[in-house]
Amino acid sequence: MYNPKSSKAVEFIDDAEILDTLKYAAENCENRTLIEEILRKAAECKGITHREAAVLLECKLPDLNEEMFRLAKEIKQKFYGNRIVMFAPLYLSNYCVNGCVYCPYHGKNKTIKRKKLTQEEIAREVIALQDMGHKRLALEAGEHPTMNPIEYILESIDTIYNIHHKNGAIRRVNVNIAATTVENYTKLKDAGIGTYILFQETYNKKNYEALHPTGPKSDYAYHTEAMDRAMQGGIDDVGIGVLFGLETYRYDFVGLMMHAEHLEAVFGVGPHTISVPRICPADDIDINDFKNVVSDDIFRKIVAVIRITVPYTGMIVSTRESQKTREKVLEIGVSQLSGGSHTSVGGYSHPEEYDESTSQFDVSDRRTLDQIVGWLLDLGYVPSFCTACYRLGRTGDRFMSLVKSGQIANCCSPNALMTLKEYAEDYASPIVKLKCEQMIAREILKVPNEKVRTKAMENLIAIENNQRDFRF
C-alpha cells in the first residue's frame, strides 16, 4: 500500500503505485486540457506530484513539450539564476565487496587494478585539486568493511579539511559512500560533511536485486531507506539519484520523484540535490548489455521535468556526459557541474600516470577546470565555488525555506562572484581571468540590495589585495 510517510521502502516506493502512475501517464499523454492544467500549476514554482510529473514526461504534444522546456528554463532562472556550482569527485578506494553488475568495482572483477589512498596520498590529491581552484569535493569509495571502514572515511575527511596550500582550501566535503547506520551518519555529520549522497541505481525492487546479486548492497530495503537513517543521524542535506539505463527510464523517474516526496513528507525537506547519471562504459562493463539505455533527447526531457517537479533542488550532471550534452541541460535544470574530474583512484596528483584501470566509469568531458570555467563564462553562466550556506548553517529546512521563498538569491549572487574572483586571482589562465573580470563587472551591478552590493564590491577589492573567504 502506497504511503509517502511510511518508513518502509516498499511502501513509500510502492511498485503498484508506480505501475498505476505509468498507466495513467500513458492514457493521458495527449490530454491537452490535463497537461495544460499541470503546466499552469507548475508555473507557480511550488512543485507538482509524481503522477503529474509522469504525465509531463510522457507528453506527446510538440507545442506543450516546448512549453515544458520553456517553463523549466524559467524555473531554473528563478531559483538559481545563471550560477553553476563547481565541484570535483575524489576517489579514495576502489576496493568493494558488492556484486553490482553495472559497476567495474564489483568484487569478482579480476582485471581492475585495486588501490586505496593513504592519508599522505590523499593530501597530495587535495593539494592538486586546490591548485586547480576547487573548493568543494565529493568523496567516493567502494563498499568494503575492512579496507574502507567508516574510520578511514572520517580520517580522510579530517585530512582534507586540514590541507591549506597557498590560497587553497577545501571548504565543503560531500560524501558518497555506501548505506550505513544511524550511528555512522551521526559520525559523518560530526565530521562536518556537506551533503550525503547515495544513488538508488534503480527503484524496481526485482530488478534491483538482480543487478545486486551479492554483497551488503543487495539489501533493497536497507539501501532505499538510507536517507531516512541519514536524516535521523543529523544529516539534513541529502542527495539522491538513479543510474538511468538500468531500468526503464519512466519507472525510475517516477520512483525518484516519489523518493523526493517521501523525504518532504517525513522530514519537511526534500533532497538537497538530485543527480542524473546514465549508464556508460567502464573496464569490463559494456552498455550494449543494458537494453534500457536512455537517448539524449529523453535525457534532456528527464532533466526538464525534474526541474519542474522539484524546483528547489540542486541538479547535478557529471563528466559522464559530453560537453554537448551538458550544455543542453544547463539552461533547463542543471545547477552543479564537476570539472577537471578523474574517476580513478589517485588521478589528480600524478595526471601523467593516470591509470584508467582504477576508474569507476569513462569520462566523456575531459576538459580542465579552467577550460570549463571559460566555457561557462562564454555561455553567460557564473561558475561558483561558493560554500557559504553550508558553513553558515543554512542547511536542511533552513536552506530550503530560503530557496523556496527566493530569498537565497540575495546572498548567492554576491557569494558566487566573490568566489569567482578568488578563482580569477589565484588559478585562472590569463584569458579566463579576463573573462572572469568582465562577468564580475556585469553581474555585481545586478545585486538588488544596495548595502550588499556595496559590501561585495569592497570585498572584491580586498580579494585583489590577497584577502580571502568573504561570504554573506
Side-chain angles (χ1 to χ4, degrees):
M1 183 72 68
Y2 174 55
N3 180 3
K5 292 187 176 182
S6 173
S7 61
K8 296 181 179 180
V10 293
E11 294 180 358
F12 66 78
I13 307 291
D14 177 63
D15 178 69
E17 170 63 18
I18 293 179
L19 295 178
D20 196 44
T21 294
L22 296 179
K23 181 174 181 290
Y24 176 80
E27 290 171 347
N28 288 282
C29 64
E30 296 184 84
N31 185 337
R32 180 173 292 274
T33 301
L34 175 63
I35 296 168
E36 288 178 340
E37 181 183 336
I38 294 171
L39 289 172
R40 282 195 295 272
K41 178 182 177 182
E44 297 175 5
C45 297
K46 296 179 181 179
I48 57 177
T49 68
H50 67 271
R51 185 159 290 208
E52 292 166 332
V55 172
L56 294 187
L57 189 64
E58 197 68 12
C59 175
K60 298 291 191 292
L61 302 174
D63 62 319
L64 294 187
N65 279 328
E66 285 306 308
E67 172 63 15
M68 197 183 308
F69 285 115
R70 186 205 63 76
L71 180 58
K73 183 176 180 179
E74 181 181 295
I75 291 173
K76 162 74 187 305
Q77 183 65 29
K78 175 181 174 65
F79 284 92
Y80 289 94
N82 60 347
R83 301 178 300 279
I84 303 294
V85 172
M86 305 304 302
F87 75 97
L90 175 57
Y91 283 76
L92 300 180
S93 169
N94 60 8
Y95 284 94
C96 193
V97 296
N98 289 313
C100 314
V101 303
Y102 53 85
C103 177
Y105 284 10
H106 66 85
K108 293 183 179 179
N109 186 354
K110 303 303 181 185
T111 63
I112 193 171
K113 181 179 178 181
R114 302 290 176 176
K115 184 174 176 60
K116 172 186 174 180
L117 298 180
T118 64
Q119 296 306 309
E120 291 74 20
E121 289 172 326
I122 290 172
R124 288 196 291 270
E125 290 285 281
V126 170
I127 288 171
L129 284 158
Q130 289 178 2
D131 281 342
M132 291 183 197
H134 279 295
K135 306 297 184 188
R136 177 189 302 237
L137 299 184
L139 224 56
E140 316 268 355
E143 183 169 12
H144 197 295
T146 56
M147 295 300 291
N148 310 325
I150 190 67
E151 291 75 19
Y152 171 67
I153 303 299
L154 296 172
E155 183 181 10
S156 300
I157 294 168
D158 184 63
T159 295
I160 293 166
Y161 277 139
N162 282 290
I163 298 297
H164 300 279
H165 175 67
K166 299 179 181 177
N167 283 332
I170 301 302
R171 298 170 179 167
R172 178 175 180 137
V173 177
N174 298 333
V175 174
N176 184 354
I177 62 169
T180 187
T181 63
V182 173
E183 180 184 7
N184 284 343
Y185 286 125
T186 300
K187 291 178 180 178
L188 289 170
K189 174 68 174 180
D190 292 343
I193 74 164
T195 306
Y196 172 68
I197 302 166
L198 185 67
F199 299 160
Q200 179 60 28
E201 320 302 1
T202 178
Y203 285 97
N204 185 306
K205 184 174 184 293
K206 182 178 179 181
N207 194 22
Y208 178 97
E209 291 170 349
L211 289 164
H212 306 89
T214 59
K217 195 170 179 177
S218 63
D219 188 334
Y220 174 84
Y222 189 76
H223 187 85
T224 312
E225 295 161 8
M227 292 307 179
D228 292 55
R229 295 193 301 278
M231 290 281 198
Q232 292 160 11
I235 299 174
D236 48 9
D237 283 349
V238 298
I240 62 176
V242 294
L243 183 54
F244 283 104
L246 297 180
E247 176 56 65
T248 64
Y249 71 87
R250 295 176 177 89
Y251 191 104
D252 277 337
F253 170 84
V254 175
L256 190 62
M257 297 302 93
M258 289 169 71
H259 202 166
E261 288 174 343
H262 164 70
L263 294 173
E264 185 83 42
V266 176
F267 300 101
V269 55
H272 187 74
T273 59
I274 292 178
S275 298
V276 287
R278 290 189 285 180
I279 188 76
C280 68
D283 196 65
D284 66 342
I285 306 302
D286 184 350
I287 61 171
N288 293 318
D289 295 335
F290 298 88
K291 63 181 181 180
N292 294 308
V293 174
V294 175
S295 71
D296 289 349
D297 288 342
I298 292 298
F299 182 67
R300 181 169 176 261
K301 193 171 186 182
I302 288 170
V303 171
V305 182
I306 291 175
R307 173 51 63 218
I308 288 170
T309 308
V310 278
Y312 56 82
T313 195
M315 286 187 67
I316 301 173
V317 166
S318 76
T319 48
R320 284 175 182 264
E321 300 297 340
S322 67
Q323 173 181 341
K324 181 180 178 181
T325 298
R326 301 219 288 177
E327 186 168 329
K328 286 183 177 180
V329 296
L330 276 170
E331 68 174 3
I332 58 169
V334 168
S335 58
Q336 294 191 25
L337 283 181
S338 53
S341 302
H342 285 305
T343 65
S344 60
V345 181
Y348 294 107
S349 54
H350 298 288
E352 72 283 355
E353 300 174 9
Y354 179 61
D355 189 348
E356 293 194 12
S357 69
T358 68
S359 298
Q360 188 181 35
F361 59 85
D362 291 351
V363 171
S364 294
D365 190 345
R366 294 184 176 274
R367 291 172 296 167
T368 65
L369 177 61
D370 195 63
Q371 289 171 329
I372 289 178
V373 168
W375 165 69
L376 289 172
L377 290 165
D378 287 341
L379 292 174
Y381 296 107
V382 176
S384 173
F385 298 86
C386 178
T387 58
C389 286
Y390 151 73
R391 298 165 73 208
L392 292 171
R394 295 193 294 255
T395 60
D397 57 358
R398 295 174 296 285
F399 175 80
M400 287 301 177
S401 63
L402 288 171
V403 174
K404 292 176 182 179
S405 66
Q407 293 302 309
I408 196 71
N410 291 327
C411 54
C412 276
S413 182
N415 284 339
L417 295 174
M418 290 187 296
T419 60
L420 182 60
K421 179 68 171 178
E422 289 183 339
Y423 178 84
E425 292 295 317
D426 295 338
Y427 309 107
S429 62
I431 292 176
V432 172
K433 181 177 181 179
L434 178 59
K435 293 178 181 179
C436 290
E437 298 290 359
Q438 292 170 339
M439 177 63 77
I440 292 168
R442 290 195 301 270
E443 292 295 314
I444 195 65
L445 298 177
K446 299 177 183 178
V447 175
N449 185 296
E450 183 179 355
K451 290 183 178 180
V452 172
R453 184 171 64 251
T454 300
K455 183 61 178 176
M457 288 178 169
E458 293 174 0
N459 292 344
L460 290 170
I461 294 171
I463 292 170
E464 286 184 359
N465 294 320
N466 211 35
Q467 296 182 53
R468 295 293 179 268
D469 201 13
F470 297 100
R471 56 191 185 271
F472 291 99

